[in-house]
Amino acid sequence: MVSAAQIGEVIRAYRVRKGLSQEVLSGLAGLDRTHYSKIERGLRSPTIDTFFRIAQALDMPPHQLMEALERAVEKNSDADRT
């Protein structure tokens, strides 16, 4: 199962790679910066609409962001098994 923390970690990693601040990315996505910050910190899970808006702000298709999230979940599942 995917956790809010895993979603936030993946989104944060892509934001940092793009060289964007939380304020800039939240603005591009049309989100309140405080709400966006809670998503990155794993305190809130984004709705599907918000997930798509964040992907668009990161200039990537939503499926690519979802695939990265799937890889993170699989990696954590593999680590839990060992």
Side-chain angles (χ1 to χ4, degrees):
M1 180 163 230
V2 64
S3 70
Q6 289 171 315
I7 295 169
E9 288 173 18
V10 169
I11 291 171
R12 181 175 16 91
Y14 275 93
R15 176 184 60 78
V16 169
R17 281 186 213 150
K18 294 279 187 176
L20 301 172
S21 67
Q22 285 186 349
E23 187 170 355
V24 169
L25 187 87
S26 62
L28 291 171
L31 302 171
D32 178 74
R33 191 200 56 77
T34 303
H35 175 71
Y36 176 78
S37 174
K38 288 179 181 179
I39 292 171
E40 271 199 13
R41 290 183 288 141
L43 301 176
R44 299 202 65 166
S45 291
T47 63
I48 193 70
D49 179 62
T50 300
F51 189 84
F52 273 58
R53 290 164 70 179
I54 291 170
Q56 183 178 28
L58 289 167
D59 196 28
M60 63 192 306
H63 77 270
Q64 186 178 355
L65 189 56
M66 184 59 74
E67 288 169 351
L69 181 55
E70 287 179 57
R71 287 190 299 272
V73 169
E74 287 175 9
K75 183 179 177 183
N76 284 344
S77 293
D78 290 344
D80 289 344
R81 289 185 210 144
T82 57

